[in-house]
Amino acid sequence: MAAGNITLTMIKPDAVRKNNIGPILGKINEAGFRIRAMKYTQLTKAQAEAFYAVHAERPFYADLVAFMTSGPIVAAILEKDNAVQEFRKLIGSTNPKDAAPGTIRQLFAEDVQNNAVHGSDSDENANIEADFHFAKTERF
Ligand code: CDP
Ligand code: MG
């Protein structure tokens, strides 16, 4: 099956608090992604729990939900050939200690929880996550 051309990102509350929306969007643009949808919003507890439901049994889930609702985020649908894999390459490993030089997490993340950005992990989840954040009328 051909790789999909969209992925879903969130600029997380830690990066928003540090005034890094602009620099992170700059990296995304430089890497050749096109912005198909974008919003500045704050997740409710119910929304964060639903978005990360796959991690519900993990020990970090409650802290993750608290963190993701602690301030506003920027959600966006990004388009590029092979978007999911290309974006995971651009953001680097979950733990910034392991993230390659020049990746968004290496540059902007604090630690494994406060790691600056989200990126979808599969084409299927990219579509689910895009639908989670955006109505059809909000996509261009
Ligand atoms: O975001 P990514 O797909 O790289 O990682 P994940 O394994 O899907 O975990 C989702 C999010 O949970 C991470 O981005 C971190 O914010 C958080 N997390 C955490 O707080 N502690 C961990 N040990 C692992 C993940
Ligand atoms: Mg993930």
Side-chain angles (χ1 to χ4, degrees):
M1 195 167 64
N5 63 0
I6 66 157
T7 191
L8 185 284
T9 190
M10 294 184 287
I11 300 175
K12 296 185 179 183
D14 60 314
V16 173
R17 273 193 282 275
K18 289 159 78 177
N19 236 359
N20 281 330
I21 296 173
I24 290 171
L25 290 178
K27 289 280 170 201
I28 290 171
N29 272 331
E30 283 164 25
F33 289 88
R34 188 167 85 80
I35 294 170
R36 297 277 311 274
M38 175 167 281
K39 69 173 61 157
Y40 192 31
T41 186
Q42 185 161 358
L43 297 177
T44 65
K45 184 161 182 277
Q47 284 176 317
E49 285 172 348
F51 189 90
Y52 285 110
V54 64
H55 293 310
E57 305 307 320
R58 307 285 287 279
F60 59 79
Y61 180 67
D63 282 350
L64 174 60
V65 169
F67 162 57
M68 287 302 295
T69 57
S70 68
I73 60 151
V74 175
I77 299 174
L78 305 177
E79 181 180 63
K80 190 182 184 180
D81 288 347
N82 198 12
V84 166
Q85 199 184 330
E86 288 295 301
F87 193 67
R88 297 289 305 199
K89 243 192 282 173
L90 178 65
I91 68 178
S93 301
T94 305
N95 189 335
K97 289 195 185 100
D98 305 324
T103 59
I104 289 175
R105 282 170 166 166
Q106 186 267 323
L107 291 168
F108 300 108
E110 290 169 28
D111 56 42
V112 68
Q113 176 186 82
N114 296 264
N115 62 1
V117 283
H118 170 80
S120 307
D121 64 4
S122 66
D123 291 342
E124 185 188 2
N125 284 334
N127 284 303
I128 291 168
E129 292 172 0
D131 289 344
F132 180 94
H133 282 288
F134 297 100
K136 293 279 180 270
T137 52
E138 295 176 307
R139 298 184 190 201
F140 305 95

